[in-house]
Amino acid sequence: MNNPNLDARTEILVKNLRQVVTDVFGGNLVGVYIHGSLALGSYNPHVSDLDYVIVVSRAPSKSTKL
């Protein structure tokens, strides 16, 4: 994610999220998109949550969802 204003803990969280989502959805994954305060530049690691959307090309199976 290479954002110089991002704290190290959040950087690790985003990288881990990307890796887990890639492992779970594989070739079905279209992308993981960060939005909300982090995308808009007003993220505060002490009070903000992390908003993201996972987009897939087809509905995942029940076992994948679990």
Side-chain angles (χ1 to χ4, degrees):
M1 191 161 169
N2 300 332
N3 182 336
N5 299 320
L6 196 60
D7 66 292
R9 188 172 174 211
T10 305
E11 179 90 24
I12 291 168
L13 178 63
V14 170
K15 285 180 181 181
N16 288 342
L17 170 68
R18 180 176 52 196
Q19 185 61 54
V20 168
V21 168
T22 299
D23 292 347
V24 169
F25 293 104
N28 192 29
L29 180 66
V30 173
V32 180
Y33 303 95
I34 302 295
H35 66 103
S37 61
L38 183 56
L40 296 172
S42 59
Y43 180 80
N44 178 333
H46 301 292
V47 297
S48 297
D49 61 354
L50 183 60
D51 301 304
Y52 58 91
V53 175
I54 299 169
V55 179
V56 293
S57 56
R58 61 189 177 284
S61 67
K62 183 177 180 179
S63 62
T64 299
K65 289 179 190 179
L66 294 173

